[in-house]
Amino acid sequence: MLSVATGVPAHAAATTALAAVPAPVQWAVLGDSYTAGVFVGDPSPPLDDAGRDGCDRTTGSYPNLVERGLAADPPAGREVQRTDVSCGNATILEVASDRQTPVSPVQPPEDGWPGLAPQADRAELDARTDLVTIGVGGNSLPFGKLFTSCLLAGIGRPDGATPCRDAYEADGPVLDPESIHDKYDRVSREYATMLRDVHRKAPNAKVITVGYPTIVPEDPSGCDRNGPTELAVHLKGVGLLSVAQGDVAWLHEVTTHLNAVIRAVTELNGDVYVDTATSSEGHDVCRPQATKWVEGICGQAGSYWPDHLAFGPFSLDCSDGTKATFVHPNAAGHAAIARQVEAAIRRTLS
């Protein structure tokens, strides 16, 4: 049978038309809570959905925003299909090699969240994967334990004191006995191993790593030590705890160094690094609500998110309608990161 218009066999014309449509880009999203979104937008999957896994991915996360932008204007005319397995509290090792047990405080099962396979396995990375974005590293310090140590070290100390820096520059505090220098070395090794594993599993993929935004300011003089919407925390049965301003400046150095490690290892592997710290300067946790891109210990979040979190015998309590956001990007922060990541993806796929 011939095509009336061209005289070409119909089956050949159909084959040619199909061949002219480029295959979709297979994009895998790996990362921790700064990637997943946790309390920004609606839970994804929705609450009460059987597919919830305790990872706290949300519709307002930057991967979700990037996907919408790419769908509206496909790069090089290619549809992009996203597989997002990012998960709150994920470490570097849990991206490519270790199992993870999620810790979501939202509707947890009575017996706790079941363990999950490494993210690279859940994303089914293979030779067909075209693109991988990774945002991870903070939980491998781990930043949460480091910050808690700084809160405790700040009790009764003046603003300019640096008890947390002093402890970590030595052998680490009692709560976290590993020096900051040993942490940097370990994280560097883990990140390099993780990237090698990702490339081994997805040999044809372009890899983009995403750094952390400016979380705390370089100059902490404007930070309110008594403000829960910044870096103070009210623990039930203990009282108000806050980080000494000298240690806030040091925490800025820690995040800067972590980003430098991620960037160096990324570029050594020939991959692409997205610097979100520079663009977010002036939007840190100590800024007014309309300016900040990172919520404080307590802050604005979806109605489903809790206003208190239990830590062993202690409980973090937020008030005045705020939620237990524990220093994570808000909607404005995710939107800003999305713009940079989308631009990096377009450049990489062009």
Side-chain angles (χ1 to χ4, degrees), residues 7-88:
V8 177
H11 67 84
T15 301
T16 301
L18 289 174
V21 178
V25 174
Q26 299 300 322
W27 171 29
V29 178
L30 316 178
D32 58 22
S33 55
Y34 272 58
T35 299
V38 290
F39 54 76
V40 179
D42 297 322
S44 180
L47 297 181
D48 299 319
D49 189 290
R52 290 190 69 233
D53 55 10
C55 286
D56 289 325
R57 291 180 296 277
T58 64
T59 59
S61 68
Y62 75 77
N64 200 300
L65 300 180
V66 170
E67 182 182 46
R68 295 180 211 169
L70 297 176
D73 181 17
R78 298 181 66 188
E79 175 189 359
V80 177
Q81 296 181 345
R82 174 176 61 109
T83 300
D84 190 346
V85 294
S86 58
C87 194

Side-chain angles (χ1 to χ4, degrees), residues 229-275:
T229 57
E230 295 182 15
L231 297 171
V233 55
H234 187 275
L235 289 183
K236 187 175 182 179
V238 176
L240 189 71
L241 304 180
S242 63
V243 180
Q245 287 188 347
D247 278 333
V248 173
W250 178 70
L251 289 173
H252 176 85
E253 293 179 20
V254 170
T255 308
T256 299
H257 196 115
L258 174 62
N259 279 333
V261 167
I262 294 172
R263 181 172 201 154
V265 176
T266 296
E267 294 180 348
L268 188 63
N269 277 270
D271 298 322
V272 175
Y273 173 76
V274 177
D275 170 18

